Amino acid sequence: VDATDGSIPKCSLKYFPTLEELGYTAEQVKVAATHDSRGVMEFKGGETAALARVKDYIWDKDRLKIYFDTRNGMLGPDYSTKFSPWLAHGCLSPRYVARECRRYEGARVANKSTYWVVFELLWRDFWKFFAQKHGNSIFFLDGTLGHDAIMSGHANARRWGLDKRTLAAWKEGRTGFP
């Protein structure tokens, strides 16, 4: 069936349901449409917003040169790139970000910070592909090696202790480590 001809009412190719139609109350819709001031910045979806963020962070505010020193800060929009939501939803290409970093290096400065953004993009992709390859086994107690490899003494095998006292200390924050 060619759904674009209008023969199917409210077809997904022409129609996007409202939050109310999805079962949300008017109050929930209002909350969803309101920026939460506790957030570090307002994230708007889509490629246009993603490209604007890249331009703002790298070129307008010139924050790329100090990324390495500020990347683990949690407060404010400019302590790290904050590209993650757009990367995760496919609105921003990691190749585009890497290309902008290389362009920045040619125009302004190449340093540990410019290297580190690209390096972290590579790690991001590595772990995404690793998870794709291994699926749910990354969450298993025996990990991606599996029980048989652990029991046969695989070089990377780690046996987990299930001492109830140690587990309780961990749960209660009494491990002796800060």
Side-chain angles (χ1 to χ4, degrees):
V1 174
D2 178 11
T4 60
D5 66 1
S7 60
I8 301 176
K10 296 187 178 182
C11 174
S12 63
L13 296 176
K14 288 189 161 193
Y15 176 76
F16 195 80
T18 66
L19 291 177
E20 291 91 345
E21 290 172 325
L22 292 173
Y24 291 92
T25 66
E27 181 60 28
Q28 290 171 319
V29 171
K30 181 180 176 187
V31 169
T34 304
H35 172 63
D36 187 337
S37 61
R38 295 172 299 172
V40 297
M41 62 186 278
E42 187 171 357
F43 290 97
K44 294 191 182 291
E47 182 183 44
T48 301
L51 297 177
R53 173 61 185 172
V54 171
K55 180 181 179 295
D56 181 60
Y57 183 84
I58 293 177
W59 300 105
D60 298 342
K61 292 181 179 172
D62 202 20
R63 300 291 296 180
L64 181 55
K65 68 183 174 192
I66 59 170
Y67 170 79
F68 184 83
D69 298 318
T70 62
R71 73 191 192 282
N72 292 324
M74 301 302 254
L75 303 175
D78 298 323
Y79 283 89
S80 70
T81 67
K82 304 291 190 284
F83 297 159
S84 184
W86 294 288
L87 288 164
H89 290 284
C91 303
L92 182 62
S93 162
R95 288 183 183 202
Y96 177 80
V97 175
R99 191 168 56 245
E100 285 298 287
C101 289
R102 297 295 174 246
R103 191 163 75 91
Y104 181 90
E105 289 175 331
R108 296 191 183 168
V109 64
N111 63 13
K112 184 166 44 173
S113 292
T114 57
Y115 167 83
W116 210 253
V117 168
V118 175
F119 178 76
E120 288 182 343
L121 287 171
L122 292 170
W123 268 115
R124 175 191 170 274
D125 280 356
F126 169 81
W127 288 112
K128 283 185 70 93
F129 288 124
F130 185 87
Q132 180 68 35
K133 176 182 178 182
H134 295 287
N136 288 342
S137 70
I138 63 175
F139 302 108
F140 294 169
L141 184 60
D142 296 322
T144 58
L145 293 175
H147 183 72
D148 292 343
I150 302 299
M151 298 314 288
S152 67
H154 188 280
N156 292 328
R158 303 290 182 268
R159 291 192 183 222
W160 290 95
L162 297 175
D163 178 26
K164 290 182 186 213
R165 291 173 305 179
T166 305
L167 180 60
W170 176 78
K171 287 179 178 179
E172 297 165 9
R174 298 182 295 103
T175 63
F177 295 96

